[in-house]
Amino acid sequence: MTTDSRAELPSWTSLASHSTDVQSLHLRELFDQDAGRGERFHLEAVGFYFDYAKQLVTDETLRLLLELARESHVAERRDAMFAGEHINVSEDRAVLHVALRLPREETLVVDGVDVVAEVHRVLDQMARFANSVRSGEWRGHTGKPIKNVVNIGIGGSDLGPVMAYEALRHYSQRDLTFRFVSNVDATDFVEAVRDLEADETLFIISSKTFGTLETLTNANSARAWLLERLHDNTAVAKHFVAVSTNAAKVAAFGIDVANMFEFWDWVGGRYSMESAIGLSTMIAIGPQHFEEMLSGFHALDEHFRTAPFESNLPVLHGLLAVWNRDFLGFSTVGVMPYDQYLHRLPAYLQQLTMESNGKHVTFSGERVTYETGPVYWGEPGTNGQHSFYQLIHQGTTKVPVDFIGFARSLNPLAQHHDILMSNIFAQAEALAFGKTEAELRAEGADERALKHRVMEGNRPSSVVLAEELTPRLLGSLIALYEHSVFVQGTIWKIDSFDQWGVELGKQLSVTIIPELANDAPGDLRHDSSTNALIARYRALKENGQGS
Ligand code: F6P
């Protein structure tokens, strides 16, 4: 087996030995020794106050991590990405989601084409369409305005739209109903359209490739549902639009390419929510708010591109993630937004982070000799506190947490917001400092439960605090995580922009689909477990049909 050289960088070796020193420290000591730690270990940029004082780091850790970023050529690779070089090596593609949010007056020529002009051509097309739906000018087959918008897509063609719709619901046009269908389980589609009138419903078929089985299956069912109710093939043109890079397949499906909103192969699916994939978002919040969201993305891009590494938010965020993963050995990250509107953010970040950095070979195909992408998971606070936080506080595995919160609520009501936010601060404090036996005794705690009540503390977390959840802020927040993922992937030397790992399961399912039919031949050629499962599935299915 060949090995990779990343782990042999001087800074990596130094971090490895430094981590044994840090592991013998406690956050209590770090704070006791440095009264200014809370003030010093924070960063303010692009509307965020990022507190990382409760991460298990010292000044020396940060110095070495910044050195690691330099030795890993993060700046060079970042500049290559912004310049449109083919940094997606396994697919030989540019990675240019940053071009999706460049202002109209900029130019960026890639392979002879000004991609900024292309981006704004599509944004203008989206704005015209969004306005016509929002104003009621766009009429359905029977002449009624659209009341319901159903986005059909999966992965990046669903998670971004649904997360953004939920996050920005406050800014949405309330007389429009939005639904998001992703799962090939028919229940998803059936329940989404159960109470909708076909002649008031617009389907957006969102698929970069327009070849994804789940999406095409749902799209076919949507067309059948519509035609069963409107009895006229010409209705499809009024009730279906497509978002894709693949005009030929869109036309083959029967959608007029005049009603297709384009994007490009240099936009990865999980990096596409601000491309035409965001059409449902734009219809919900309007072109003006959408533009504000793009400006938030762009502001963070500019910060990432130009800020010195020591005050660069995504660089620092990414470096802390590498530190926690590779040097402190934490295998998961909790993302806890203390804002109900962000309740789909953890699911969105799961694809962004894990489809990007869940890889085990380097750019050149060598097996890595260190850990790469951790598992991301989370729930909005305060719900998680009454569920799994017990393990985060007292379990045997440590989970670094990203807390996300806002100073002002979009729905100020009595004392709700201060109560909500007190919980972020309290949880981060409890995780870091815990409670000792001596403290418990001094409080007069019952001796019998003493050991059970001890909180070791020394559990790391960061807090991302901002003023208010606006479209602009959401754009910046997503860009922060995108670039943090980029920094991590660059340090790990992995291609954060491909996703070959999802292919094998897709191929196998295509083989298995016909084998599940009642009249399929009985000779199955899988392993004995898969054969037995398929046989039992078919038998159970037939039982049901006989009853
Ligand atoms: O299977 C994974 C994946 O390719 C994701 O990367 C992507 O976001 C999703 O499927 C959907 O793909 P498409 O937009 O082409 O339908």
Side-chain angles (χ1 to χ4, degrees):
M1 187 177 65
T2 50
T3 59
D4 186 81
S5 62
R6 184 63 88 222
E8 286 155 26
L9 288 175
S11 55
W12 189 284
T13 315
S14 304
L15 278 161
S17 74
H18 170 69
S19 68
T20 52
D21 300 338
V22 171
Q23 274 160 357
S24 66
L25 298 172
H26 195 290
L27 279 167
R28 278 188 220 119
E29 291 168 52
L30 292 173
F31 274 83
D32 284 348
Q33 287 160 10
D34 177 4
R37 183 179 170 93
E39 281 298 314
R40 283 194 313 115
F41 283 22
H42 88 275
L43 198 57
E44 232 168 326
V46 202
F48 296 109
Y49 180 96
F50 177 57
D51 171 271
Y52 58 95
K54 298 190 191 80
Q55 290 288 343
L56 293 163
V57 291
T58 64
D59 288 301
E60 178 64 358
T61 320
L62 295 170
R63 189 187 70 72
L64 289 170
L65 285 170
L66 290 166
E67 193 53 31
L68 176 63
R70 274 183 282 275
E71 287 180 357
S72 306
H73 304 293
V74 169
E76 290 82 346
R77 192 154 178 273
R78 172 201 61 193
D79 294 345
M81 173 173 76
F82 277 85
E85 288 177 29
H86 287 205
I87 64 161
N88 175 352
V89 286
S90 80
E91 295 177 314
D92 191 19
R93 282 180 188 166
V95 174
L96 269 178
H97 44 280
V98 291
L100 296 170
R101 47 262 194 157
L102 279 172
R104 195 180 288 274
E105 56 281 5
E106 304 256 350
T107 47
L108 177 62
V109 178
V110 177
D111 301 330
V113 178
D114 177 10
V115 295
V116 183
E118 283 290 284
V119 163
H120 282 273
R121 178 180 61 75
V122 176
L123 282 172
D124 290 344
Q125 182 199 4
M126 289 165 65
R128 282 193 299 276
F129 182 71
N131 282 333
S132 74
V133 172
R134 287 164 64 83
S135 67
E137 185 193 328
W138 181 275
R139 299 281 159 156
H141 183 64
T142 62
K144 289 191 188 167
I146 296 300
K147 277 195 182 161
N148 317 304
V149 177
V150 181
N151 186 76
I152 295 182
I154 197 165
S157 300
D158 167 73
L159 289 162
V162 71
M163 180 278 291
Y165 169 68
E166 293 293 341
L168 301 177
R169 195 184 259 251
H170 177 80
Y171 303 89
S172 68
Q173 186 165 316
R174 299 292 185 155
D175 61 357
L176 290 171
T177 295
F178 289 82
R179 302 271 162 83
F180 298 85
V181 175
S182 55
N183 199 340
V184 75
D185 182 343
T187 300
D188 203 10
F189 175 73
V190 170
E191 288 292 344
V193 297
R194 182 175 290 279
D195 57 345
L196 306 186
E197 296 297 334
D199 60 350
E200 297 173 337
T201 301
L202 174 77
F203 291 100
I204 303 176
I205 312 301
S206 297
S207 175
K208 180 176 170 180
T209 54
F210 229 77
T212 303
L213 185 57
E214 290 93 333
T215 299
L216 293 184
T217 305
N218 278 319
N220 279 316
S221 295
R223 186 172 48 191
W225 178 85
L226 186 95
L227 293 178
E228 267 166 34
R229 285 157 181 78
L230 301 184
H231 314 288
D232 185 348
N233 273 328
T234 63
V236 172
K238 291 283 176 197
H239 294 272
F240 278 77
V241 297
V243 177
S244 186
T245 58
N246 195 331
K249 286 197 176 168
V250 168
F253 178 83
I255 296 177
D256 186 345
V257 286
N259 295 332
M260 170 178 149
F261 299 83
E262 191 187 354
F263 63 118
W264 307 272
D265 73 354
W266 39 262
V267 183
R270 54 193 174 276
Y271 296 86
S272 67
M273 61 168 272
E274 73 283 25
S275 72
I277 288 291
L279 183 61
S280 57
T281 315
M282 194 193 271
I283 297 173
I285 64 173
Q288 179 63 37
H289 283 134
F290 196 85
E291 199 181 316
E292 286 168 23
M293 183 180 80
L294 295 180
S295 75
F297 272 103
H298 181 62
L300 204 296
D301 293 343
E302 283 302 281
H303 168 76
F304 178 47
R305 204 172 60 78
T306 59
F309 275 11
E310 45 281 7
S311 52
N312 193 309
L313 205 45
V315 169
L316 195 61
H317 190 271
L319 288 173
L320 290 170
V322 171
W323 168 247
N324 282 331
R325 180 71 179 119
D326 290 282
F327 300 100
L328 299 184
F330 305 144
S331 55
T332 86
V333 177
V335 186
M336 313 300 173
Y338 276 60
D339 188 302
Q340 189 58 29
Y341 283 126
L342 291 180
H343 72 107
R344 293 293 289 164
L345 182 70
Y348 173 81
L349 291 180
Q350 283 184 324
Q351 187 197 16
L352 178 66
T353 57
M354 294 202 271
E355 204 174 67
S356 295
N357 285 341
K359 316 276 164 72
H360 69 272
V361 296
T362 64
F363 300 133
S364 55
E366 294 169 350
R367 187 170 180 111
V368 296
T369 55
Y370 39 81
E371 299 293 344
T372 62
V375 173
Y376 279 75
W377 57 285
E379 272 289 312
T382 54
N383 296 359
Q385 290 173 209
H386 297 272
S387 163
F388 50 77
Y389 273 43
Q390 165 63 37
L391 182 148
I392 304 182
H393 284 290
Q394 283 190 316
T396 52
T397 192
K398 283 189 182 176
V399 180
V401 177
D402 273 6
F403 292 104
I404 301 168
F406 298 92
R408 280 203 304 270
S409 171
L410 292 168
N411 296 299
L413 182 63
Q415 230 196 326
H416 284 247
H417 198 63
D418 284 347
I419 295 173
L420 173 73
M421 291 303 291
S422 73
N423 277 281
I424 287 199
F425 306 135
Q427 291 298 325
E429 193 174 3
L431 285 168
F433 305 109
K435 184 145 266 193
T436 62
E437 231 174 287
E439 285 167 340
L440 284 162
R441 246 189 218 107
E443 287 172 7
D446 184 341
E447 278 297 325
R448 283 167 305 181
L450 210 62
K451 296 273 185 217
H452 301 274
R453 294 183 58 176
V454 168
M455 312 269 282
E456 289 170 352
N458 213 25
R459 289 160 192 249
S461 68
S462 299
V463 176
V464 178
L465 186 65
E467 201 173 305
E468 191 173 79
L469 178 55
T470 59
R472 183 179 165 91
L473 197 284
L474 181 73
S476 297
L477 182 65
I478 300 306
L480 164 60
Y481 276 93
E482 285 177 348
H483 296 319
S484 170
V485 162
F486 174 89
V487 169
Q488 295 168 54
T490 300
I491 289 173
W492 290 322
K493 273 184 123 176
I494 55 180
D495 188 338
S496 303
F497 303 103
D498 64 13
Q499 58 283 321
W500 295 104
V502 301
E503 293 305 322
L504 179 59
K506 287 186 195 173
Q507 284 163 17
L508 291 175
S509 87
V510 170
T511 311
I512 293 174
I513 292 166
E515 294 172 349
L516 302 185
N518 293 346
D519 56 356
D523 62 326
L524 297 165
R525 293 174 184 207
H526 304 275
D527 61 275
S528 56
S529 158
T530 309
N531 286 346
L533 284 164
I534 292 174
R536 180 53 63 100
Y537 171 80
R538 282 173 50 174
L540 288 171
K541 208 161 72 143
E542 278 161 28
N543 275 349
Q545 277 160 2
S547 63

